Amino acid sequence: ALLQGLTAFTLAQRNKSRKWKAHAIKITSKVQEWVKKGAVNCNHMLFLLEAEMAVLKGEKEVAKQKYDAAITASALIGFVHDRALSNERAGKYMIQSGDKYLAFHYLSVAIQLYSRWGANAKAEHLLSKYKILLDEHHTPAMNKTVDRRWTWLASKGKSVNSDMELRSRRRSFTMRS
């Protein structure tokens, strides 16, 4: 239901489609019923879908609060993948709404969580897609995290083709003086 709902919200936002908005609302209502019946492992889904509804309505503060609630609820039940997804969606929304600092925060956490979960291709995709944003807002703490990430990938032989490529990627994520 979560992925169907997120897809419907994305299509509703992208195409300004009433059909997809109605479908998204229907799925959100279904998840809401599950939560009312006591399905505690669905709370984070409901918060995430409510965040997407707030995005659709243009309610930035409500969207941020709901994204944060989804992230917290996912963490409480140990759903690393859904926590990563919630951070990713929040980051994308913050880019859309012009808050690059918060976008950097959410996307950095998403990358770390996807890595922890073992979704290395997804983490690399986000690193590549948001490279400019990540480079702009880098801190020494993030440099260490990224350095550890690339070192770990290299040790596992995951998508790092050579030592030269690893050094190149590290260099691209160091703070510019």
Side-chain angles (χ1 to χ4, degrees):
L2 177 61
L3 297 179
Q4 284 181 333
L6 292 176
T7 301
F9 276 116
T10 299
L11 291 170
Q13 291 167 21
R14 188 177 298 154
N15 303 329
K16 309 290 186 236
S17 168
R18 289 184 208 196
K19 173 185 141 187
W20 286 111
K21 182 179 177 182
H23 187 63
I25 290 170
K26 182 179 174 183
I27 292 169
T28 303
S29 296
K30 182 192 294 187
V31 174
Q32 207 166 31
E33 285 301 313
W34 294 344
V35 169
K36 283 181 187 175
K37 291 180 181 177
V40 293
N41 63 338
C42 294
N43 282 326
H44 69 287
M45 290 187 222
L46 182 58
F47 287 131
L48 186 52
L49 294 173
E50 289 173 343
E52 296 294 325
M53 178 58 80
V55 168
L56 199 57
K57 292 178 177 179
E59 299 171 343
K60 182 179 179 179
E61 281 306 309
V62 173
K64 185 187 175 316
Q65 290 170 358
K66 295 293 184 173
Y67 281 126
D68 288 341
I71 290 164
T72 301
S74 298
L76 288 174
I77 58 175
F79 286 11
V80 175
H81 59 295
D82 287 341
R83 188 171 160 209
L85 178 62
S86 297
N87 273 284
E88 179 185 358
R89 298 293 293 200
K92 287 180 178 181
Y93 175 61
M94 291 303 151
I95 289 171
Q96 183 183 346
S97 63
D99 193 332
K100 289 183 178 182
Y101 178 78
L102 276 177
F104 168 79
H105 166 74
Y106 286 120
L107 290 169
S108 297
V109 172
I111 289 165
Q112 292 171 20
L113 291 169
Y114 280 127
S115 293
R116 185 184 313 161
W117 187 49
N120 300 320
K122 180 63 178 179
E124 285 191 39
H125 167 75
L126 292 179
L127 279 167
S128 172
K129 184 173 182 176
Y130 298 108
K131 182 182 181 328
I132 294 170
L133 174 74
L134 295 170
D135 282 349
E136 269 179 33
H137 295 282
H138 246 260
T139 65
M142 185 60 183
N143 286 343
K144 288 179 186 173
T145 300
V146 170
D147 189 51
R148 281 194 311 266
R149 162 122 178 83
W150 291 125
T151 303
W152 181 85
L153 283 171
S155 73
K156 300 295 183 194
K158 306 278 187 194
S159 301
V160 178
N161 299 326
S162 68
D163 192 45
M164 187 188 324
E165 182 180 352
L166 175 63
R167 280 194 296 272
S168 170
R169 288 185 180 186
R170 280 185 187 158
R171 224 176 292 120
S172 71
F173 282 93
T174 56
M175 279 190 62
R176 291 174 172 74
S177 315

